[in-house]
Amino acid sequence: MRTVIAVVVIALAGVGGLARPARAAQQDVPALFTQTGRLFDASQQPVTGPLPMVFALYDVPSGGTALWTETHTVMFDDGYFVVGLGGTVPLPTFDGTPKYLGIRVGADPEMTPREEL
């Protein structure tokens, strides 16, 4: 596995989908969000092609145990990627306390710092 460094821009789409409806008469809204970013290799070149990525949610900005993880094979185009999270492994309930997103690419260690959601 090549060494990978990254500049990741976090964008959440459909954050409203993270909250569950309060009324029982409504159907459950899936808890999903979209992660986007751009990844560069050690030579500062944009990554192209598929790579495995592991996404994890924590309740602390560093250390701790993941509350949730999901793995995807992500397709990169000139370094850009978009991946939907929560579709394979349901996201935990968001209770208003901060959560932190950790991202790992291939065999590399998790990127730091984690992004606060």
Side-chain angles (χ1 to χ4, degrees):
M1 173 60 58
R2 61 188 148 191
T3 301
V4 180
I5 62 170
V7 175
V8 175
V9 178
I10 305 274
L12 298 177
V15 172
L18 294 176
R20 302 261 182 208
R23 296 186 307 204
Q26 292 179 329
Q27 292 181 343
D28 254 353
V29 175
L32 304 170
F33 67 88
T34 302
Q35 172 68 34
T36 64
R38 191 166 192 208
L39 187 68
F40 297 86
D41 65 17
S43 301
Q44 299 300 312
Q45 297 302 306
V47 172
T48 300
L51 281 175
M53 294 181 76
V54 177
F55 300 88
L57 285 178
Y58 300 85
D59 57 2
V60 291
S62 63
T65 302
L67 305 170
W68 168 92
T69 61
E70 190 169 86
T71 302
H72 291 268
T73 298
V74 177
M75 184 58 69
F76 291 86
D77 182 9
D78 194 33
Y80 293 101
F81 71 93
V82 177
V83 62
L85 301 177
T88 305
V89 178
L91 290 162
T93 301
F94 286 79
D95 59 5
T97 61
K99 300 292 184 265
Y100 300 87
L101 180 66
I103 302 172
R104 189 168 38 118
V105 179
D108 291 349
E110 186 177 274
M111 295 179 203
T112 57
R114 292 176 183 155
E115 185 68 25
E116 183 176 353
L117 304 179

